[in-house]
Every structure is written in structure tokens, then in C-alpha cells.
């Protein structure tokens, strides 16, 4: 068994987490996930300003603080913090290791960056183009004695899967073992989301003040136990693990470069306090193509937010819209209004009597959505509706990005392990692949007799976790008892979801059923426009979408409601 901890779920996560994990208890490996679709755009802009950048600078600070401690304890560090420049990050780490009088074997993985070949591969001319590599290059570096391995774009779970490959000697066709490690990796990759963070039933967790980061104890057969350091905050339960398993997935098949994990095979059991066993995971051959993260600069955006208070709010909104649009000398390529009419009647405070009106503009020319736009908005201040004011002063136009996925055959993408001594090892593409396909929908449980029902928030009986998948969003909804599952599986259909979430009414929605997790997962196509960086929605990563769903009322059997 190996203990693999995680100390980062995103670029900007708790800076002290690496030290906390190294000082908190025994570990064999410490991993960190720093990359997301938006992060790649941020790193791409960094690299445009300075070709020596393109990596996660916070990771460099963390390792500079704790390298001596990690080496002393024999904890190996694996991370994707190399971003667009893993070799540059290695060079920086070697500099400060030498300055501290430390000897560290540092390796990296490259080959994911396809920007120079993007047109040749039919990917256009993006700012960044990075294929999602797998875990075998990292394992090669670990087998060569690396103390630290940094990568560019690999799948988030790969930094956790690789230590298990290195330790247990798994091969390319050990699909069940690889899939088990992918499940463990998917659970801990987002840090404290596995220990109670962003959890639907957070009020039930006794100590969420500062949740500890998760650990996966991975066994040679691919099974694992999810836990955390003793004495840290938060909780590891079947609920918190279920929530994270449902995060940013689609159907029963979870595709990766090394294995396709069958999410419908996963079994969870509470083994003890803060210990959840993950077992029964099966895997299949990976798909023939690698997914490629493509980011382009979409243009420039800006927005102004108007405060609308008191009486005649609808008339005030219409006046502001007509004035601003008619006063603009040049209309932006995209001009969109959002109105949150949340004001209360006869409110006891001014804030409760207020709604917000947003005007969002986008254009290829920063001048059109810069002062030319904001100055017109400001000119309305003394010439528009009663009580006119803003939430903040006008700002300059900001660049925004567009994310699109691409796909390239695995054998067209180099996968290179650069060992601590500089030796370059080519990692071959998997020989056995299998085209991805949906599974047949499983049988649903027998429906329960509803008996007396009551219109109450859905979240009284189910949990939910939502997130972004490019321009789409997923909402995983799970029940905490067999009875609630028997109701949920029949009650929460695609049609019912669209009724509860009118923003999805005209969008394509697919439901996937995962009986072993007592869960249904919905993928809502296009609700986020062209991805988080395009800022198409006020909640651009769909983090609150699941909680909105839980707040909506359905007629639920009284027998399922909490006392």
C-alpha cells in the first residue's frame, strides 16, 4: 500500500498546504493539481509577456519552502505545475536547491504542447494547445529515481495514478488496477472538495473551519481508502467521496489516456472515521484519441452593473437599457443584459429593496468596450432613473479567452520522460484502444409508493455537485438512502430538470444513471457559452448550479423528509 496525498486542487489553492501535508503525518508521495482550462489561458498570457514563464509560480514558492523537509522524509513530489514550461520550472527548482545546499533529482514530462503543430493537426491557430497525457511518463521518471516530477498538461488523476504504476509495476493492459487508481485520483485531485469543501451537507460536518487535504491509500489491486491526516478539519465520508466522484464527469465511461474507468462499477463503504474504501472498479482500454485543450483569445470584454432600487424597477430597467444602447456611438459586437430581480417589496433595508442590472459587452477592439462604453454608462448618472448608481467604478476592457476541445490520435502526440540525468525516453502510445461509446441505461429501482407528498426544496433529500466541462456543465445528484434513490431515479428526469432550471429549457440535456452511487448525472450542453474564460454567465464555472437545483421545490414523499 502507498499513501498518496494531495496539496493543491487549483492554481491559487492554500499556499501552506504542502507544508501542512508534509508535517501532518506519513506520506509516500505528495501530489498537486494546478491546471484547469482557465489556468492554461492565464499561463499562456504569462508566456506572451515572458518566454521564461508559463508554470505555476505558487508551486515554486511552496517547494522552495519545503524541499528540505520532503527530501528528509523521503516523500516524492509529483505535480502538473509545469504548465506550458515544465523544463523552465525544473531549472528554477534546481537553482534554489543548489542555493539551499540540497541535492534533489528532478525530472519532467513533456510532449503535450502542440501549439507549433496545431495547424498541421487540424487544430487551428490557438494561443495554447495541450494534449492530456497519461501517467506512464511520470512513472518512468519515478522509476529512474526522481524525487520530484513536474509535467505539463496531463489528466488531473495521472499525477496520482503514476506513483501506483511505479510502485506496483502495472502494465498498459492492467485496466482494472489503473481504473481503480484513476477513481482514487479523481477523488483527491481537487483537494479539500473530498474532505467537506463545497459539500451539499456541509452543516453536518463538525469541523469545517480549515479542512485537511485528502490522502489515497492505494493497494496493488487498484482498490483504495480515502482518508486525511489525523487531527485535521473536515470529514471523509461516503457522502463527500460520492460528491467528488460526480464532479465534472458525464456518463458511466470516464475516458482517459491510459484507461477508460467504469464509473458505474465503483463501490464505496465507510471503513471507519474519515476512512472510505473505494473498490470494485473496472476498466477498459482507453480511446484511440487524446483530448486537446485549446485556448484562443476571443477579444475584449467589459461590464457595468447598475443598482435598481425601490418602485417601478421594471420601468427603470427598460429606461437604462434604451438610453445606454442609443447613446453608444458604436455598438459592440456583443451586448448582453442580465437582470436579477431579487428585490423585496416593503423591504426593511435598502439592500433588500435593490436588484442588479448588468450590461456585458464584448468586441475585438478594446476601444469599443473600453472608455467608449463605460463613459456612456457614467453619463447616465444624472440623466436616467431615480436612484441611479453603480456597484463599482468603470474599468478598462479586459481580454477574454475561448476554450474548445480538440482530439488527436494518441500516436500523433509525443510523450517524453526527461529523466533526472537528462536522458529522454519516448513513451509509446497504448497498443490496445477502444472507441468510446455510451453504455445501455441500467435498470432503475422499483419506484416507491409516494403516499403523502409535500412541496419542499429538493436539497432536503438529495445532494448535488456541479462544475464546468468546457462550455457545458454537469450536475451530479445523489441520494443518501435506498428509499430516496428509488424516488430520485424516477422523479428527476430531464424534463423535470428543465422545469426546475429554466435556463436549461432550450438546451440539450443528457441524463446518466449510476445506481451504485445512487446518483443521476446531468450534462447541460452550452450553458457556459465557450467556456469559463469567455465569462458567458455570472457563474462561469457552474459551481452554484447544483445548489440552485437543490433549492428548487418538488413534491417529495413525506416519508423521505428529515424529521
Amino acid at each position: 500500500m502507498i499513501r498518496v496525498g494531495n496539496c493543491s486542487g487549483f492554481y491559487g489553492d492554500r499556499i501552506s498546504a504542502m507544508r501542512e501535508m508534509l508535517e501532518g503525518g506519513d506520506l509516500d508521495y505528495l501530489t498537486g493539481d494546478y491546471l484547469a482550462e482557465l489556468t492554461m489561458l492565464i499561463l499562456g498570457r504569462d508566456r506572451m509577456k515572458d518566454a521564461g514563464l508559463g508554470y505555476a509560480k505558487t508551486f515554486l514558492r511552496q517547494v522552495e519552502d519545503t524541499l528540505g523537509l520532503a527530501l528528509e522524509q523521503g516523500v516524492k513530489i509529483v505535480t502538473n505545475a509545469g504548465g506550458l514550461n515544465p523544463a523552465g520550472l525544473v531549472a528554477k527548482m534546481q537553482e534554489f536547491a543548489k542555493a539551499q545546499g540540497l541535492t534533489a533529482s528532478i525530472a519532467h514530462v513533456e510532449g503535450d504542447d502542440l501549439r507549433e503543430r496545431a495547424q498541421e493537426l487540424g487544430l487551428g491557430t490557438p494561443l495554447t494547445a495541450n494534449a492530456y497525457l497519461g501517467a506512464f511518463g511520470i512513472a518512468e521518471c519515478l522509476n529512474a529515481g526522481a524525487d520530484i516530477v513536474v509535467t505539463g498538461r496531463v489528466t488531473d488523476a495521472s499525477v496520482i495514478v503514476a506513483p501506483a504504476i511505479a510502485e506496483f509495476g502495472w502494465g498498459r493492459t492492467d485496466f482494472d488496477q489503473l481504473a481503480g487508481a484513476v477513481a482514487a485520483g479523481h477523488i483527491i485531485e481537487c483537494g479539500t472538495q473530498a474532505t467537506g469543501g463545497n459539500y451539499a451537507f456541509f452543516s453536518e460536518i463538525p469541523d469545517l473551519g480549515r479542512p485537511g487535504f485528502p490522502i489515497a491509500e492505494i493497494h496493488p489491486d487498484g482498490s483504495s481508502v480515502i482518508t486525511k491526516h489525523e487531527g485535521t478539519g473536515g470529514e471523509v465520508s461516503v457522502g463527500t467521496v460520492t460528491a467528488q466522484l460526480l464532479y465534472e464527469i458525464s456518463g458511466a465511461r470516464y475516458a482517459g489516456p491510459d484507461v477508460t474507468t467504469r464509473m458505474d462499477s465503483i463501490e464505496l463503504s465507510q471503513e471507519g472515521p474519515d476512512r472510505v474504501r473505494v473498490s470494485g472498479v473496472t476498466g477498459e482500454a482507453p480511446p484511440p484519441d487524446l483530448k486537446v485543450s485549446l485556448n484562443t483569445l476571443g477579444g475584449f470584454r467589459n461590464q457595468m452593473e447598475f443598482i435598481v432600487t425601490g418602485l417601478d424597477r421594471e420601468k427603470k430597467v427598460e429606461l437604462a437599457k434604451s438610453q445606454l444602447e442609443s447613446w453608444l456611438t458604436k455598438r459592440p459586437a456583443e451586448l448582453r443584459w442580465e437582470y436579477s430581480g431579487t428585490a423585496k417589496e416593503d423591504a426593511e433595508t435598502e439592500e433588500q429593496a435593490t436588484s442588479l442590472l448588468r450590461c456585458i459587452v464584448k468586441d475585438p477592439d478594446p476601444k469599443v468596450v473600453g472608455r467608449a462604453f463605460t463613459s456612456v454608462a457614467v453619463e447616465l448618472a444624472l440623466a436616467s432613473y431615480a436612484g441611479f448608481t453603480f456597484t463599482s467604478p468603470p474599468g478598462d476592457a479586459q481580454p477574454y479567452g475561448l476554450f474548445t476541445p480538440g482530439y488527436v490520435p494518441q500516436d500523433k502526440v509525443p510523450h517524453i520522460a526527461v529523466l533526472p540525468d537528462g536522458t529522454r525516453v519516448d513513451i509509446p502510445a497504448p497498443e490496445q484502444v477502444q472507441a468510446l461509446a455510451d453504455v445501455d441505461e441500467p435498470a432503475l429501482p422499483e419506484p416507491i409508493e409516494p403516499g403523502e407528498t409535500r412541496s419542499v426544496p429538493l436539497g432536503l433529500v438529495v445532494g448535488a455537485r456541479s462544475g464546468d466541462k468546457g462550455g457545458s456543465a454537469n450536475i451530479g445528484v445523489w441520494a443518501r438512502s435506498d428509499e430516496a434513490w428509488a424516488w430520485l431515479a424516477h422523479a428527476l428526469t430531464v424534463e423535470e430538470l428543465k422545469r426546475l432550471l429554466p435556463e436549461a429549457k432550450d438546451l440539450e440535456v443528457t441524463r446518466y444513471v449510476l445506481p451504485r452511487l445512487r446518483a443521476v448525472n446531468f450534462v447541460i450542453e452550452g450553458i457556459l457559452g465557450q467556456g469559463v474564460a469567455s465569462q458567458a454567465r455570472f457563474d462561469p464555472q457552474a459551481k452554484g448550479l447544483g445548489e440552485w437545483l437543490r433549492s428548487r421545490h418538488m413534491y417529495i414523499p413525506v416519508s423521505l423528509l428529515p424529521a
Side-chain angles (χ1 to χ4, degrees):
M1 182 267 286
I2 56 171
R3 281 171 61 90
V4 183
N6 171 281
C7 69
S8 176
F10 66 101
Y11 190 12
D13 210 341
R14 191 187 307 171
I15 195 73
S16 62
M18 185 173 287
R19 177 167 287 279
E20 291 174 20
M21 290 298 285
L22 290 170
E23 292 179 340
D26 292 336
L27 292 175
D28 298 301
Y29 295 86
L30 183 58
T31 65
D33 175 19
Y34 293 79
L35 302 185
E37 293 163 4
L38 180 61
T39 312
M40 300 304 284
L41 178 66
I42 293 169
L43 297 180
R45 290 173 58 190
D46 282 351
R47 192 172 60 175
M48 289 173 67
K49 298 172 188 174
D50 182 344
L53 295 177
Y55 51 78
K57 291 172 280 190
T58 52
F59 170 77
L60 196 60
R61 288 168 53 198
Q62 289 173 302
V63 176
E64 193 168 9
D65 173 54
T66 61
L67 179 58
L69 180 59
L71 293 172
E72 180 184 332
Q73 295 182 350
V75 177
K76 296 179 182 291
I77 297 173
V78 182
T79 177
N80 59 15
L84 301 176
N85 188 8
L89 178 56
V90 170
K92 285 291 185 182
M93 284 193 289
Q94 288 170 336
E95 283 179 21
F96 70 66
K98 183 178 180 180
Q100 293 180 11
L102 300 171
T103 301
S105 296
I106 307 175
H108 72 276
V109 175
E110 58 185 46
D112 63 292
D113 193 341
L114 304 179
R115 187 170 63 106
E116 298 299 325
R117 298 172 54 212
Q119 282 193 299
E120 165 201 338
L121 295 169
L123 302 173
T125 55
L127 174 65
T128 68
N130 295 82
Y132 287 79
L133 299 180
F136 280 88
I138 303 170
E140 185 78 22
C141 295
L142 292 171
N143 285 330
D147 300 310
I148 303 175
V149 184
V150 300
T151 75
R153 179 74 276 187
V154 296
T155 62
D156 297 344
S158 288
V159 296
I160 294 104
V161 176
I165 294 173
E167 290 280 347
F168 305 133
W170 297 338
R172 284 286 195 175
T173 57
D174 290 324
F175 295 131
D176 289 349
Q177 293 93 323
L178 291 168
V182 167
H186 182 60
I187 291 164
I188 74 168
E189 73 187 48
C190 285
T192 53
Q193 280 196 165
T195 59
N198 200 9
Y199 181 52
F201 304 103
F202 67 93
S203 61
E204 298 177 6
I205 297 176
D207 176 18
L208 196 57
R210 191 174 177 84
F213 278 73
I215 298 166
E217 297 177 350
I218 305 177
H219 294 262
D221 65 354
S223 66
S224 63
V225 171
I226 308 302
T227 185
K228 63 185 182 69
H229 283 321
E230 190 174 348
T232 57
E235 179 180 87
V236 178
S237 67
V238 169
T240 66
V241 171
T242 298
Q244 183 53 29
L245 279 171
L246 294 172
Y247 184 58
E248 295 181 345
I249 66 166
S250 53
R253 286 190 167 103
Y254 185 68
D258 300 321
V259 64
T260 293
T261 302
R262 289 296 296 260
M263 302 299 286
D264 56 352
S265 68
I266 299 173
E267 297 179 3
L268 302 179
S269 58
Q270 194 79 41
E271 189 177 73
D274 294 320
R275 293 183 63 81
V276 172
R277 178 165 293 279
V278 183
S279 60
V281 189
T282 60
E284 300 169 343
D289 293 339
L290 291 180
K291 183 179 178 181
V292 183
S293 171
L294 301 170
N295 281 288
T296 57
L297 289 177
F300 296 84
R301 73 181 300 278
N302 209 339
Q303 73 176 49
M304 291 293 289
E305 195 168 61
F306 308 94
I307 294 174
V308 183
T309 305
L311 302 176
D312 300 320
R313 288 185 297 276
E314 299 297 333
K315 293 180 180 179
K316 290 172 179 176
V317 165
E318 290 308 311
L319 177 59
K321 286 182 178 181
S322 64
Q323 285 180 312
L324 186 138
E325 293 190 32
S326 65
W327 289 21
L328 289 171
T329 55
K330 182 176 181 181
R331 187 180 178 89
E334 180 181 338
L335 187 152
R336 190 175 79 252
W337 294 94
E338 292 179 355
Y339 177 58
S340 56
T342 55
K344 294 181 180 180
E345 298 299 322
D346 194 20
E348 294 182 358
T349 67
E350 182 179 347
E351 191 169 358
Q352 291 176 351
T354 295
S355 295
L356 297 176
L357 173 67
R358 278 184 213 90
C359 183
I360 301 105
V361 291
K362 295 180 179 179
D363 199 88
D365 186 350
K367 295 178 181 177
V368 172
V369 293
R371 294 295 171 181
F373 162 68
T374 58
S375 63
V376 168
V378 171
E379 288 168 5
L380 296 178
L382 305 182
S384 191
Y385 60 80
F388 185 102
T389 189
F390 307 108
T391 57
S392 61
D396 295 327
Q398 299 295 321
Y400 71 93
L402 303 176
F403 169 84
T404 53
Y407 296 90
V408 174
Q410 292 225 36
D411 58 6
K412 299 292 185 184
V413 178
H415 187 173
I416 302 164
V418 184
L419 308 185
D421 65 0
T423 302
R424 300 173 65 83
V425 179
D426 289 322
I427 307 300
E431 294 182 3
Q432 189 173 338
V433 295
Q434 177 179 314
L436 201 62
D438 288 335
V439 302
D440 293 334
E441 180 159 322
L444 299 181
E446 286 294 319
I448 64 171
E449 289 295 331
E452 181 188 354
T453 62
R454 186 176 302 157
S455 179
V456 294
L458 175 61
L460 291 184
V461 294
V462 301
R465 171 69 60 79
S466 57
D468 59 316
K469 293 180 67 65
S472 302
N474 93 294
I475 310 176
V477 185
W478 79 94
R480 300 203 285 179
S481 70
D482 290 340
E483 294 77 14
W485 166 237
W487 172 80
L488 174 68
H490 295 276
L492 193 58
T493 61
V494 168
E495 292 72 23
E496 181 67 1
L497 180 99
K498 289 187 174 187
R499 183 189 73 80
L500 295 171
L501 306 184
E503 290 182 32
K505 179 169 58 74
D506 298 321
L507 301 175
E508 181 181 345
V509 178
T510 306
R511 186 180 95 149
Y512 301 95
V513 181
L514 301 168
R516 294 195 181 190
L517 297 178
R518 294 191 298 221
V520 287
N521 185 52
F522 296 91
V523 177
I524 305 174
E525 304 288 345
I527 194 169
L528 304 179
Q530 291 180 286
V532 55
S534 71
Q535 297 283 310
R537 193 172 178 272
F538 82 99
D539 177 17
Q541 292 180 287
K543 297 294 189 184
L545 201 57
E547 287 303 291
W548 177 28
L549 177 63
R550 291 182 70 238
S551 74
R552 298 286 282 154
H553 285 224
M554 289 181 67
Y555 279 94
I556 298 175
V558 171
S559 61
L560 300 179
L561 300 180

